Amino acid sequence: MKQLHEKISLEGRVLSEEVLKVDSFLNHQIDPGLMQAIGEEFSRRFKNDRITKILTIESSGIAPSVMAGLIMGIPVVFARKRASLTLTEGLISAEVKSFTKQTVNTISVSGDYITADDRLLIIDDFLANGQAALGLLDIADQAGASVAGVGIVIEKGFQPGGRLLRSQGVRVESLAIIDSLADGKAVFREEAETR
Amino acid sequence: MKQLHEKISLEGRVLSEEVLKVDSFLNHQIDPGLMQAIGEEFSRRFKNDRITKILTIESSGIAPSVMAGLIMGIPVVFARKRASLTLTEGLISAEVKSFTKQTVNTISVSGDYITADDRLLIIDDFLANGQAALGLLDIADQAGASVAGVGIVIEKGFQPGGRLLRSQGVRVESLAIIDSLADGKAVFREEAETR
């Protein structure tokens, strides 16, 4: 997605060979116009898939998901990383390992909002090791929902998450795939290869 | 805001005289169309205030803020409740006391994104005791930014936050003010009184 590539090239900061900081438009400050364009692109890629609901995870997955949900005319559910005082019964949970933080978090969704009638589009901001996506797929599976695919804003193609998901037969649509962050520069996989 | 009142009446669940659960459209599942209408209403109320940026807090403040930001053509910054691995330098922080959870959390914003040049609209999903709004006002103050007002989706009018903020001269625009949750029913303050 050209507009996203340009934004990453212009504003993304390469902190190391593994870390790309996009806090100016995605993870801390949010560019709503870019989120709308991202929502339109997810909508275009999944327009024939009879999606009933978008499943994402707080916090950075929410903005692109809500824009996609607006365009597709469907609700968004975000998995919580922490327990809620008023959300306790009928929870569906999964464990998500963080390689960078060396922690295991439990993410949860209410069984009221993801059911066996749903056909889900899972959206997240980043795909690196794939653990968050696997956790969301696990929740979908426990709910008996089907999953049309996973939509990712930025995939770090040099980390194993994308290959792991695709090898399990999951359709992954990443709007930008970065093959390298060497020498302080993000190198994008060609558009033709990202499908 | 009529559409919001109707949604709360239809789908809100009164769990006690103090707790209203709106997980079906705001705090867990999100109704993107309603968020767009909420964004339009915030935009209408603050259209003459030369807002440069929206400041909110993860996670439930993000969806209404991004819609308002899209309509107003300005960026959104969300304060983080937890530390980020890649967001460490130049942080502006404030403490937020939670009366319900009996905890104190530190919220943070990067000084790169809120500056003395900004005129802010602070948006949050709920206003109860006002602690989150006070924390965001504190961050704005530390950054030297001016604040045009605070936009709230649902104000619990029987809790002290709204009075506290207004007594400090802060303009608070709440799209729904609930005066009572007694007898399992949300009673709204009349529209004329909410301004």
Side-chain angles (χ1 to χ4, degrees):
Chain A
M1 186 184 164
K2 189 157 172 279
Q3 184 181 353
L4 177 62
H5 286 195
E6 287 172 357
K7 189 79 167 182
I8 294 168
S9 297
L10 203 66
E11 297 189 13
R13 286 169 54 198
V14 179
L15 297 191
S16 72
E17 293 202 352
E18 299 212 327
V19 178
L20 172 71
K21 189 169 171 175
V22 288
D23 275 343
S24 73
F25 61 89
L26 182 61
N27 297 131
H28 183 36
Q29 180 167 259
I30 300 170
D31 178 337
L34 180 64
M35 295 303 119
Q36 185 183 44
I38 285 169
E40 282 166 357
E41 180 63 17
F42 282 136
S43 174
R44 191 182 68 75
R45 294 196 187 194
F46 288 95
K47 68 174 182 295
N48 297 321
D49 293 279
R50 305 180 316 283
I51 312 287
T52 63
K53 208 164 271 194
I54 292 168
L55 176 62
T56 187
I57 184 165
E58 62 182 351
S59 291
S60 296
I62 294 175
S65 295
V66 169
M67 289 299 178
L70 182 71
I71 294 157
M72 299 170 85
I74 54 176
V76 172
V77 174
F78 65 89
R80 292 191 169 276
K81 290 177 179 168
R82 285 158 297 172
S84 159
L85 282 184
T86 60
L87 182 65
T88 48
E89 291 166 39
L91 279 188
I92 304 170
S93 298
E95 294 204 334
V96 173
K97 188 174 168 184
S98 168
F99 285 92
T100 40
K101 294 186 186 172
Q102 290 290 328
T103 56
V104 176
N105 286 303
T106 301
I107 63 170
S108 307
V109 165
S110 163
D112 290 346
Y113 302 122
I114 302 290
T115 73
D117 293 330
D118 282 314
R119 182 156 177 78
L120 301 175
L121 167 58
I122 291 172
I123 289 181
D124 205 4
D125 57 336
F126 267 95
L127 174 61
N129 289 295
Q131 299 301 305
L134 287 172
L136 294 171
L137 286 163
D138 183 357
I139 283 174
D141 189 53
Q142 290 181 56
S146 66
V147 175
V150 174
I152 297 292
V153 180
I154 302 174
E155 176 179 343
K156 295 202 272 187
F158 54 89
Q159 288 184 320
R163 200 166 50 242
L164 180 66
L165 293 176
R166 291 180 182 101
S167 74
Q168 294 183 10
V170 177
R171 178 179 167 201
V172 181
E173 293 281 350
S174 299
L175 305 190
I177 301 183
I178 293 173
D179 273 334
S180 162
L181 291 171
D183 303 322
K185 191 174 170 302
V187 177
F188 297 101
R189 196 170 300 178
E190 291 298 318
E191 191 78 12
E193 304 168 46
T194 67
R195 299 302 298 275
Chain B
M1 185 184 163
K2 189 158 173 278
Q3 183 182 353
L4 177 62
H5 286 195
E6 288 172 356
K7 190 79 166 180
I8 293 168
S9 297
L10 202 66
E11 296 188 14
R13 286 169 53 196
V14 179
L15 297 191
S16 73
E17 292 202 352
E18 300 213 327
V19 179
L20 172 70
K21 190 170 171 174
V22 289
D23 276 342
S24 73
F25 61 89
L26 183 60
N27 297 130
H28 182 36
Q29 180 168 260
I30 300 170
D31 178 337
L34 180 65
M35 294 305 118
Q36 185 183 43
I38 285 168
E40 283 166 356
E41 181 63 18
F42 283 136
S43 175
R44 191 182 69 77
R45 295 195 186 194
F46 288 95
K47 67 175 183 292
N48 297 321
D49 293 278
R50 305 180 316 281
I51 311 287
T52 62
K53 208 165 271 194
I54 292 168
L55 176 61
T56 188
I57 184 166
E58 62 181 351
S59 290
S60 296
I62 294 175
S65 295
V66 169
M67 288 298 177
L70 182 71
I71 294 158
M72 299 169 84
I74 54 176
V76 172
V77 175
F78 65 90
R80 291 191 169 276
K81 290 177 178 169
R82 286 159 297 174
S84 159
L85 282 183
T86 60
L87 183 64
T88 47
E89 290 166 39
L91 279 189
I92 304 170
S93 299
E95 294 204 333
V96 173
K97 188 173 168 184
S98 167
F99 285 92
T100 40
K101 294 186 187 173
Q102 289 290 325
T103 55
V104 176
N105 287 302
T106 301
I107 64 170
S108 306
V109 165
S110 162
D112 290 346
Y113 303 122
I114 302 289
T115 73
D117 294 329
D118 282 314
R119 181 156 177 79
L120 302 175
L121 167 58
I122 291 172
I123 288 182
D124 205 3
D125 58 337
F126 267 95
L127 176 61
N129 289 295
Q131 299 302 304
L134 287 171
L136 294 170
L137 286 163
D138 183 358
I139 284 174
D141 189 54
Q142 291 180 56
S146 67
V147 175
V150 175
I152 296 292
V153 181
I154 302 175
E155 177 179 343
K156 295 202 272 187
F158 54 89
Q159 288 183 321
R163 200 168 50 242
L164 181 66
L165 293 176
R166 290 179 182 102
S167 74
Q168 294 183 11
V170 177
R171 177 179 167 199
V172 181
E173 294 281 350
S174 299
L175 305 191
I177 301 183
I178 293 172
D179 273 335
S180 162
L181 291 172
D183 304 322
K185 190 173 170 303
V187 177
F188 297 101
R189 195 171 299 178
E190 291 298 319
E191 191 77 12
E193 303 168 46
T194 67
R195 300 300 299 274

